[in-house]
Amino acid sequence: MHDFDKAMSWYGVDDLWVTKPPPLDHADEREDGYRTKYASITLDARGRVTDQKGAPHVGVKRLDRPGSVSGSTGGLATADGDRQWWPTGITFPEAGCWRVTETLGSTEVRFTMHVGAR
């Protein structure tokens, strides 16, 4: 893992890891929703970043009332020569409590985001 990556908070298991998205606690309701971006990485059996398994799928379900959205991943990005990650984004249509689930094959990583003023 690169020094840059060690400075970030990573969450995951086995072959799927994500960085902690920034909080979305804007005081005002946004007309176009609340957008967050973060990095996802997929690993091979040796723990090296790979795109061989494809991009992770990002599903988002609202927990405090009915609702769901889909997140998206861009192509595998490269920086600083060989550091790679999947740029991942989610647009939440409104404030609330949301569970984000990323999947890669049978691997699943989940986290909860509180969006908007609390």
Side-chain angles (χ1 to χ4, degrees), residues 25-34 62 65 92-96 98 115-117:
D25 56 0
H26 308 289
D28 299 320
E29 187 72 24
R30 297 177 57 160
E31 289 182 25
D32 58 347
Y34 300 86
R62 187 153 185 179
R65 62 182 193 196
F92 300 92
E94 56 190 15
W98 300 84
V115 177

Side-chain angles (χ1 to χ4, degrees), residues 6-17:
K6 290 178 184 176
M8 302 172 77
S9 295
W10 289 92
Y11 301 91
V13 64
D14 299 330
D15 55 357
L16 179 59
W17 292 79

Side-chain angles (χ1 to χ4, degrees), residues 2 4 8 25 28 32 34-36 44 50 53 56 58 62 70 72 82 87 102 105 110 114:
H2 297 274
F4 174 85
M8 302 172 77
D25 56 0
D28 299 320
D32 58 347
Y34 300 86
R35 180 140 175 89
T36 191
D44 64 16
T50 182
K53 299 174 186 179
V58 184
R62 187 153 185 179
S70 294
S72 62
D82 63 349
E102 279 204 34
R110 292 181 180 194
H114 298 277

Side-chain angles (χ1 to χ4, degrees), residues 68-89:
S68 62
V69 297
S70 294
S72 62
T73 52
L76 192 66
T78 303
D80 301 329
D82 63 349
R83 188 168 47 87
Q84 297 180 305
W85 72 96
W86 299 97
T88 308

Side-chain angles (χ1 to χ4, degrees), residues 31-65:
E31 289 182 25
D32 58 347
Y34 300 86
R35 180 140 175 89
T36 191
K37 297 178 185 178
Y38 60 95
S40 300
I41 58 172
T42 52
L43 304 176
D44 64 16
R46 294 183 180 172
R48 295 178 300 198
V49 176
T50 182
D51 64 352
Q52 295 300 310
K53 299 174 186 179
H57 174 269
V58 184
V60 186
K61 181 178 179 177
R62 187 153 185 179
L63 298 177
D64 54 352
R65 62 182 193 196

